[in-house]
Amino acid sequence: MRTTTPTRARVPPRPRSTPKPSPKPAPKPPSGTGVTGQFLSLVNSERAKAGCGAVRSNSALQRAAQGHSADMAAKNYFSHTSKDGRTFADRIRAAGYGGSTIGENIAAGQSTASAVMRSWLASSGHRANILNCAFTAIGVGYARGGSYGHYWTQDFGG
């Protein structure tokens, strides 16, 4: 099982006058997995214990997270930086998210959402993203493939 140091940034929103690129549709997680629902429940349960408000699913963050998980699985790598050099902030902005605070957790190898959450909660940096009360939105990505078999992404926004 592998996790990486979570990434957070305060990134100013794009100016409204700049045309937004058309986001490419990201592959959807396998039907019937309920990954987004599982993560919403797990994340919001932990946030409630910490006194934070619930996060809600956001379609732009969902596109960014799913696209990154699918890309890592298809191209067999594990990093916050895509093979084409894009950072998590680049991917989130390209997906159309305009909030000023963003973060990302990634993991690989765990076969269930609950196993990933246990790993992330045991890591101070990943836990800090999950319990950051400034985050109000989340997108979840899951893909199978590559050498780790399972790739997970949580993109947060606020």
Side-chain angles (χ1 to χ4, degrees):
M1 288 180 242
R2 185 166 178 194
T3 59
T4 186
T5 304
T7 309
R8 285 180 281 174
R10 182 151 177 85
V11 180
R14 290 181 187 218
R16 294 209 185 264
S17 60
T18 303
K20 291 183 181 175
S22 300
K24 295 178 189 174
K28 296 189 188 270
S31 62
T33 62
V35 170
T36 300
Q38 290 173 32
F39 269 112
L40 276 173
S41 177
L42 292 166
V43 167
N44 285 330
S45 174
E46 292 299 322
R47 289 173 64 85
K49 292 176 197 173
C52 293
V55 290
R56 68 194 182 300
S57 183
N58 175 277
S59 60
L61 293 173
Q62 187 69 31
R63 281 190 301 275
Q66 183 58 40
H68 190 51
S69 288
D71 192 56
M72 288 190 293
K75 295 178 181 168
N76 196 26
Y77 72 97
F78 181 71
S79 177
H80 288 284
T81 303
S82 300
K83 287 280 192 174
D84 63 6
R86 291 180 305 146
T87 67
F88 80 101
D90 296 332
R91 291 188 308 273
I92 288 171
R93 296 297 178 221
Y97 188 75
S100 62
T101 304
I102 56 176
E104 179 172 86
N105 287 344
I106 61 173
Q110 299 89 340
S111 60
T112 66
S114 59
V116 175
M117 280 296 290
R118 280 192 302 276
S119 294
W120 282 336
L121 291 171
S123 159
S124 61
H126 293 94
R127 183 179 186 87
N129 269 352
I130 292 166
L131 302 181
N132 183 338
C133 294
F135 291 140
T136 58
I138 191 172
V140 176
Y142 168 74
R144 294 183 66 153
S147 59
Y148 289 102
H150 304 273
Y151 294 82
W152 307 86
T153 304
Q154 285 181 326
D155 283 335
F156 295 94

